[in-house]
Amino acid sequence: MKFGVVVFPGSNCDRDLIHVLEKVLQQEVVVLWHKEKKLPDFNRHDCIMLPGGFSYGDYLRSGAIARFSPIMNAVVEFANSGGYVWGICNGFQILCEAGLLPGALLRNINQQFICKNIYITPADVASPLSHSLNPGSAYKIPIAHAEGRYYADQKTLSRLQQNKQIIFQYCDEYGQVNETGNPNGSQLNIAGICNETRNVFGMMPHPERASEEMLGNTDGKLLFDSFISYADALEVDVIDDLLR
Amino acid sequence: MTYIAEVKVMPLKELLDPQGKAVLNGLKNLGIDTITEVRIGKHLHLKVEAEDVEKAKTIVENACRKLLANPVMEYFEIEVHE
């Protein structure tokens, strides 16, 4: 599989992401400028990543303008055809604005930009991002956002729960999902969700900032490892089927 | 013909507006305690080229649905005049 990292004007976590994918995880990475209209040579075993940052200065609403960048039509098409799309922080906001994920990210309940390590726990281990994680364990990963309070109406929330689309919830350091562990007031402590078909993911925490020993935290790498092993195994299955 | 559209974009009524809440606290601290609620939204001032008022309104409504407001968290009201 390979990764495509989209760079919008105002993206600022793109380099970190590319570094971790290439240098730490030894993955093939294609950097995609937002003006491009096509995703060259990507198939549904590949993953398009929307990095964190402040695309278009967060004008109007976070992600609202990036969602109309030329490349986004191709990203939506790619997602609808089953390709993996993973948005982190501003990338999550863009995916919600684009309608690829339900709900919205509102201003943090305390009105402040929060930049610190928090804990998340997998709410479900059926998703590619969490399948090799331990349910009930707390993973320490930093957040850095002012608009990260997940909001959706009650109907949408029940649907997310029923379909097990909530991937990560904020928790305390012991893995308990409670108010103490919720940094921004997100409904149901939601830190990350996926779409119904489990190929589009969005999360506010930054695993790419917690993937190297040198940075003192490698919990984020476990998410990438989980995803890559899931996607690689699926790809091998498909190739086996074709050869059979 | 050029029309002026005034668009009000507000957080949905059922949504907590922490910015408004912080401002309300500020007002209380100032001693202005007869204001009991503050909700903060956006006001957009647009110039629209259209044949008549109705068409101008349709154009602005479409713009609100597609970009200016996010129905998951906001509602909008439009006023169009010459």
Side-chain angles (χ1 to χ4, degrees):
Chain A
M1 75 176 304
K2 66 170 176 287
F3 287 86
V5 176
V6 180
V7 182
F8 296 96
S11 294
N12 67 6
C13 301
D14 44 330
R15 298 289 178 98
D16 300 43
L17 192 54
I18 294 162
H19 166 79
V20 168
L21 290 169
E22 269 183 351
K23 300 289 184 314
V24 181
L25 301 158
Q26 312 296 322
Q27 297 295 307
E28 185 187 345
V29 178
V30 180
V31 181
L32 301 159
W33 180 236
H34 75 114
K35 290 272 191 197
E36 287 176 41
K37 292 196 173 90
K38 286 196 178 127
L39 301 175
D41 301 325
F42 278 88
N43 66 50
R44 68 185 179 86
H45 301 294
D46 299 326
C47 179
I48 300 297
M49 296 207 63
L50 307 187
F54 298 86
S55 56
Y56 295 89
D58 271 355
Y59 292 167
L60 194 65
R61 296 179 305 276
S62 320
I65 302 179
R67 170 244 185 293
F68 293 103
S69 268
I71 202 167
M72 283 307 291
N73 281 334
V75 172
V76 171
E77 209 176 291
F78 180 73
N80 289 338
S81 69
Y84 296 112
V85 177
W86 183 357
I88 296 172
C89 198
N90 190 223
F92 185 12
Q93 296 162 338
I94 296 169
L95 291 174
C96 286
E97 282 283 343
L100 284 175
L101 291 173
L105 285 314
L106 307 180
R107 184 148 265 261
N108 295 340
I109 195 115
N110 65 358
Q111 278 287 102
Q112 285 168 11
F113 186 97
I114 308 171
C115 182
K116 65 173 187 185
N117 278 319
I118 48 85
Y119 294 92
I120 57 172
T121 189
D124 184 66
V125 286
S127 99
L129 298 193
S130 58
H131 84 105
S132 62
L133 304 182
N134 294 322
S137 291
Y139 295 86
K140 186 168 81 176
I141 299 187
I143 53 167
H145 61 245
E147 278 94 17
R149 174 165 55 111
Y150 185 81
Y151 171 82
D153 59 29
Q154 278 309 318
K155 217 170 110 187
T156 308
L157 288 177
S158 336
R159 213 169 52 228
L160 287 176
Q161 285 179 304
Q162 263 164 25
N163 299 335
K164 303 193 169 182
Q165 285 171 252
I166 302 172
I167 317 178
F168 297 115
Q169 283 174 301
Y170 297 111
C171 62
D172 65 17
E173 58 181 303
Y174 309 107
Q176 295 298 313
V177 177
N178 53 26
E179 213 180 321
T180 323
N182 190 348
N184 54 19
S186 287
Q187 283 181 310
L188 303 175
N189 282 41
I190 288 173
I193 57 169
C194 63
N195 63 347
E196 266 181 61
T197 44
R198 292 177 194 285
N199 62 313
V200 179
F201 325 103
M203 59 188 294
M204 289 314 293
H206 286 274
E208 80 282 11
R209 294 189 186 180
S211 292
E212 283 171 284
E213 291 289 354
M214 193 192 271
L215 299 177
N217 185 0
T218 53
D219 280 6
K221 184 170 175 289
L222 300 173
L223 274 64
F224 288 108
D225 288 340
S226 173
F227 175 62
I228 292 165
S229 67
Y230 183 99
D232 278 349
L234 218 59
E235 189 171 9
V236 168
D237 280 353
V238 171
I239 291 167
D240 280 353
D241 279 350
L242 288 174
L243 292 175
R244 219 169 274 147
Chain B
M1 173 108 199
T2 305
Y3 292 92
I4 303 290
E6 309 283 352
V7 182
K8 183 171 100 174
V9 180
M10 293 296 294
L12 291 177
K13 296 209 159 74
E14 62 268 32
L15 264 178
L16 175 76
D17 173 17
Q19 199 183 345
K21 224 174 137 184
V23 170
L24 182 67
N25 278 338
L27 289 170
K28 282 200 175 124
N29 291 341
L30 272 175
I32 306 172
D33 50 11
T34 42
I35 294 176
T36 54
E37 192 187 6
V38 180
R39 293 185 72 78
I40 299 179
K42 298 184 190 108
H43 185 100
L44 293 90
H45 179 92
L46 314 172
K47 274 187 192 163
V48 195
E49 290 297 333
E51 283 164 37
D52 54 53
V53 176
E54 280 312 306
K55 290 216 170 83
K57 210 172 170 184
T58 312
I59 292 168
V60 177
E61 257 175 30
N62 185 38
C64 285
R65 288 218 178 82
K66 285 200 169 140
L67 175 63
L68 304 180
N70 178 346
V72 177
M73 52 168 141
E74 295 162 327
Y75 69 92
F76 59 87
E77 284 167 15
I78 302 167
E79 266 180 48
V80 179
H81 56 87
E82 279 176 29

